[in-house]
Amino acid sequence: MTEIEKKINELRETLRYHSARYYNDDAPEIEDYAYDMMMRELKALEEEYPQFDTPDSPTKKVGGKADNTFESVVHSVRMESLQDAFSRDEIRDFDKRVTDAIRCPEYVVEPKIDGLSVSLEYRDGIFFRGSTRGDGDVGEDVSGNLKVIHNVPLKLNKPIPYLEVRGEVYMPKKSFERVVDRQLLNDEKPFKNPRNAAAGSLRQKDSSVTAGRGLDIFIFNIQQIEGVELNSHKQSLDYLKELGFNTVPFYTQVNNIDDALKEIDRIGEERGNLEFDIDGAVIKVDSFDQREMLGSTAKYPKWAVAFKYPPEEKQTTLKDIEIAVGRTGVLTPTAVFDSIHLAGTTVSRATLHNQDFINEKNVNIGDIITVRKAGDIIPEVLCVNEKNSEGAYVYPTVCPSCGEPVIRENDEAAIRCINSECPAQLLRNLIHFCSRDAMDIEGLGPAIIETFVDNGLISKTYDIYNLDYEKIASLEGFKETSANNIRMSVEKSKDNDLGKLIFALGIRHIGAKAGKLLADHFKDIDSIMNAPVEDILEIDGYGLVMAQSVAEYFSLASSIDLINHLKAAGVNMKSKTVVEDERFKGMTFVLTGTLPTLKRAEASKIIESFGGKTSSSVSKKTTYVLAGEEAGSKLDKANALGITIITEEEFMGMIK
């Protein structure tokens, strides 16, 4: 194999990998610009060395593919991608190709929304199906999730016999910020940018999750239409507005390429002020007849081109590095630098991610750095241009908020404070403590907890059990009745099983099931607090990381203090699980589908009362799969592994 062929194959594999991360996993690892440059390099090599060109090259395919999570939809009109241009010369080359083929073209210039491309279909003006682009030929049916997006009309203003339109589902910048704040609060990995947030939200199995993400849509093209004659792109966009669609927000018709370039410049200057993310501007031939004459390549229409704005970068001096403690205990470094103007806004702070990132970039206070906006939203440090310091900045060894030692676990890039009473983590810990799977304190939701913290009613977790209910009743929006309801819910939580308390403490790596296993094994909190790692490891389902996490948590003075205060408040510290007999000892059950009479929680409780345990996934260690109606992939996997599948009736027979 020649060096050129080897280089081409390497580029293809790299592009396929990053394409899958971007389109299918919604978790990109590189910036769009770096991906685009690799694609251009591959395309140039294939043109120069046609003997190595292949029909399955990434240069000839749309990046996504249909996921098996949803039903497949075959697109009768292919959902093509656009050819990219990165310079004015390339735009002029596009114009020359067009004018060589047709006379006096008019163009429409519009912003290129950075989101997830979808198709919406209507019969007699009624929405009946919506799907993702996928690979351009086959996408996913996401009708249920599209219906909950506010600007997707379910009924058009006119009863068109049949209409298919193409649009871009996106997440507004304000919605993105709210979603990321919520993810950080819930100890979840935040979305990297609004585009991936939109894609991840649209692919949710539960449409109520999609509805809560604040998605929106712009419609930018008619794919198919019956009963109406339209001749141009601008005419079609105007008509789509009449039908009730939220069309691409602004579009300009021009009759020469110079005016098109001026409009591209104008959009570029405005993009920092827009409420949504764009990654370029699109030039389209306006006339549908002329589009027909120009045709398409295997991947792109010849009548359109997308100008991609390069990421804006500027140099500045790093003045300081501030360490903040997030709601999950992670220490996050922020670069503070001389103000610069980027993508329409003035910025003076940027994320430095973690210690590994700082070491990789060799960043320290006093250095001259290059800053850019990732996705035109979040400023980040790109590199060091001039080194004016010794080595890389080093994290503090204690938490800047509470002074407790910080830790870094082997499998993590993050350095974190694990003190459950750390002031910086208070709000997140309180919300978790009161949540349904934890202490289940009804009435103490996130907004109310935040109100109580702001009013000085709670400054430690155990303050929940010493609330001033007279003061609560005097707060705006509260009355004596609501205060009494909270009091009753707090009192009720004192009687919870020890397993719920263990989960409520927020110990790293210890979920609700692991908390119950710990409680049932040791029976009371004192035995758990005094247990060495070796004893914790004896629990079936516990590994070394989990065992060490439990031992480390209960070695902290702050954890011991919290438990003592909870004891004094009368919170139950013992396991309530009673094993009637051990007929299911050593057995693992997986529950799937809807059971005729039992709820899953009820079935799980029965299994545990007979000494068995439940698991959320099927494996070779599974003893039985208890299956109800609409059992899905778990049932398929059980059949493949030869696991015994039982009905509720058979299960009830086993416990008689």
Side-chain angles (χ1 to χ4, degrees):
M1 182 182 292
T2 66
E3 286 299 314
I4 293 296
E5 189 177 4
K6 185 178 179 183
K7 176 66 175 176
I8 288 173
N9 288 336
E10 287 174 354
L11 279 170
R12 285 173 181 162
E13 286 306 307
T14 303
L15 284 164
R16 288 186 185 110
Y17 172 78
H18 288 297
S19 178
R21 295 292 291 164
Y22 182 91
Y23 287 103
N24 302 327
D25 301 335
D26 305 319
E29 295 179 4
I30 61 174
E31 293 297 323
D32 288 357
Y33 187 75
Y35 179 88
D36 291 338
M37 290 302 100
M38 277 195 287
M39 184 67 81
R40 287 171 70 82
E41 183 182 1
L42 175 59
K43 188 174 181 181
L45 286 171
E46 288 177 345
E47 288 174 355
E48 188 175 352
Y49 301 96
Q51 66 269 34
F52 301 132
D53 199 1
T54 59
D56 64 344
S57 172
T59 59
K60 298 174 181 62
K61 288 183 174 291
V62 176
K65 68 175 183 179
D67 193 298
N68 59 13
T69 303
F70 301 94
E71 293 288 330
S72 294
V73 175
V74 177
H75 301 304
S76 55
V77 174
R78 193 165 194 269
M79 296 179 70
E80 298 172 307
S81 58
L82 292 173
Q83 185 170 11
D84 294 330
F86 296 88
S87 69
R88 301 173 81 84
D89 286 342
E90 290 176 278
I91 295 295
R92 292 190 183 280
D93 289 342
F94 162 76
D95 177 60
K96 186 175 185 309
R97 291 193 299 271
V98 170
T99 53
D100 283 347
I102 59 175
R103 295 182 63 187
C104 304
E106 288 190 323
Y107 296 117
V108 172
V109 185
E110 60 195 49
K112 186 175 184 295
I113 313 300
D114 196 13
L116 184 72
S117 197
V118 298
S119 157
L120 307 180
E121 294 178 80
Y122 295 80
R123 281 200 194 102
D124 299 322
I126 306 298
F127 175 76
F128 75 90
R129 185 168 64 181
S131 54
T132 62
R133 180 175 68 172
D135 64 0
D137 295 310
V138 181
E140 307 160 332
D141 188 330
V142 288
S143 304
N145 290 346
L146 285 167
K147 284 180 180 179
V148 300
I149 297 175
H150 175 69
N151 276 320
V152 171
L154 302 183
K155 183 178 181 181
L156 303 181
N157 294 333
K158 297 179 182 179
I160 308 299
Y162 175 76
L163 174 68
E164 180 186 6
V165 297
R166 183 169 171 180
E168 198 82 359
V169 172
Y170 69 96
M171 183 173 284
K173 292 177 181 178
K174 288 183 179 178
S175 296
F176 176 68
E177 290 166 3
R178 285 197 299 269
V179 168
V180 168
D181 285 345
R182 198 182 309 145
Q183 287 175 318
L184 292 173
L185 190 63
N186 294 329
D187 202 12
E188 299 169 356
K189 184 178 179 180
F191 289 119
K192 186 174 181 181
N193 55 50
R195 188 268 168 201
N196 293 99
S201 301
L202 192 62
R203 287 172 172 153
Q204 291 291 321
K205 291 183 178 179
D206 183 353
S207 59
S208 66
V209 176
T210 305
R213 294 280 175 83
L215 298 179
D216 211 330
I217 189 170
F218 285 127
I219 304 300
F220 61 83
N221 200 53
I222 289 180
Q223 298 291 92
Q224 303 179 75
I225 189 168
E226 294 177 5
V228 178
E229 188 77 27
L230 297 170
N231 300 312
S232 73
H233 182 57
K234 184 178 184 303
Q235 182 190 13
S236 71
L237 290 175
D238 294 340
Y239 183 66
L240 287 171
K241 282 184 180 179
E242 292 178 25
L243 293 178
F245 287 106
N246 189 38
T247 62
V248 65
F250 46 87
Y251 45 93
T252 304
Q253 188 181 46
V254 298
N255 56 21
N256 62 76
I257 203 63
D258 290 328
D259 287 345
L261 285 167
K262 288 177 184 176
E263 181 62 12
I264 286 174
D265 291 340
R266 188 193 70 78
I267 294 172
E269 290 168 3
E270 284 294 314
R271 63 177 173 149
N273 302 320
L274 299 174
E275 293 301 314
F276 47 86
D277 227 8
I278 67 173
D279 60 351
V282 184
I283 302 176
K284 299 176 179 177
V285 171
D286 190 32
S287 165
F288 289 162
D289 286 341
Q290 290 180 338
R291 288 186 182 186
E292 191 75 26
M293 293 169 62
L294 289 164
S296 299
T297 67
K299 187 175 181 181
Y300 309 114
K302 294 180 181 179
W303 43 262
V305 67
F307 179 82
K308 302 293 282 288
Y309 297 112
E312 192 177 1
E313 302 172 357
K314 287 190 178 175
Q315 292 185 17
T316 184
T317 302
L318 180 58
K319 295 294 188 183
D320 194 12
I321 295 177
E322 295 179 355
I323 301 292
V325 184
R327 292 169 178 169
T328 63
V330 174
L331 274 61
T332 304
T334 299
V336 182
F337 45 80
D338 290 335
S339 297
I340 52 177
H341 196 73
L342 275 178
T345 59
T346 300
V347 296
S348 58
R349 303 166 68 83
T351 179
L352 285 169
H353 301 291
N354 51 50
Q355 184 71 67
D356 289 348
F357 181 87
I358 290 172
N359 293 344
E360 178 190 336
K361 304 294 182 185
N362 197 23
V363 181
N364 210 337
I365 298 167
D367 295 343
I368 306 297
I369 58 174
T370 293
V371 180
R372 71 176 174 192
K373 275 192 173 182
D376 288 338
I377 293 182
I378 304 171
E380 66 176 1
V381 174
L382 187 60
C383 63
V384 173
N385 299 95
E386 185 179 323
K387 194 76 182 149
N388 294 323
S389 62
E390 289 292 326
Y393 174 85
V394 178
Y395 266 44
T397 57
V398 297
C399 172
S401 177
C402 68
E404 289 281 350
V406 295
I407 67 164
R408 175 174 180 171
E409 294 173 339
N410 294 331
D411 60 342
E412 286 195 340
I415 294 173
R416 69 175 68 239
C417 170
I418 60 170
N419 175 12
S420 61
E421 295 301 296
C422 176
Q425 302 174 64
L426 178 63
L427 184 60
R428 178 261 172 188
N429 289 335
L430 288 169
I431 291 170
H432 174 74
F433 188 89
C434 297
S435 63
R436 183 177 298 175
D437 290 336
M439 294 302 279
D440 193 17
I441 305 179
E442 191 175 345
L444 285 187
I448 291 177
I449 290 172
E450 194 165 0
T451 298
F452 288 0
V453 170
D454 291 343
N455 284 275
L457 286 160
I458 301 177
S459 60
K460 299 277 188 180
T461 301
Y462 52 74
D463 287 340
I464 290 170
Y465 294 98
N466 298 290
L467 287 170
D468 184 339
Y469 294 102
E470 288 186 8
K471 187 173 180 180
I472 290 173
S474 69
L475 293 175
E476 184 179 352
F478 289 84
K479 294 181 180 178
E480 187 175 341
T481 302
S482 55
N484 280 332
N485 287 339
I486 292 172
R487 184 207 303 267
M488 288 189 291
S489 190
V490 168
E491 287 299 313
K492 181 182 176 184
S493 74
K494 292 180 181 180
D495 198 40
N496 281 335
D497 181 69
L498 175 61
K500 290 181 76 69
L501 174 62
I502 296 296
F503 177 57
L505 296 174
I507 305 169
R508 290 279 295 155
H509 306 298
I510 305 302
K513 190 174 289 292
K516 181 163 181 54
L517 288 173
L518 191 67
D520 291 348
H521 183 83
F522 287 103
K523 307 301 182 187
D524 62 70
I525 193 69
D526 291 326
S527 299
I528 295 171
M529 294 174 73
N530 295 322
V533 171
E534 294 77 16
D535 288 358
I536 301 172
L537 272 172
E538 292 178 4
I539 302 173
D540 185 19
Y542 266 67
L544 182 60
V545 171
M546 294 170 69
Q548 287 176 335
S549 188
V550 171
E552 285 173 1
Y553 177 85
F554 286 112
S555 70
L556 295 174
S558 56
S559 301
I560 297 169
D561 182 62
L562 171 60
I563 296 300
N564 287 336
H565 275 88
L566 293 175
K567 281 181 179 179
V571 176
N572 173 57
M573 297 286 161
K574 293 185 177 181
S575 170
K576 292 191 169 189
T577 299
V578 177
V579 178
E580 297 177 6
D581 62 37
E582 296 188 336
R583 71 182 67 182
F584 291 159
K585 184 177 181 180
M587 297 183 186
T588 300
F589 290 73
V590 172
L591 283 62
T592 183
T594 304
L595 299 174
T597 62
L598 289 174
K599 293 181 180 178
R600 288 196 190 185
E602 293 172 335
S604 296
K605 193 171 182 180
I606 292 170
I607 291 165
E608 289 162 4
S609 72
F610 285 104
K613 67 175 185 176
T614 60
S615 175
S616 59
S617 59
V618 177
S619 70
K620 291 180 179 178
K621 294 182 179 180
T622 303
T623 312
Y624 295 106
V625 170
L626 175 53
E629 290 184 8
E630 298 181 7
S633 58
K634 292 178 184 177
L635 192 62
D636 296 335
K637 188 171 183 181
N639 282 319
L641 292 174
I643 306 297
T644 303
I645 298 165
I646 58 173
T647 63
E648 182 186 300
E649 184 180 0
E650 290 170 318
F651 174 70
M652 297 304 289
M654 293 167 70
I655 62 173
K656 282 183 180 178

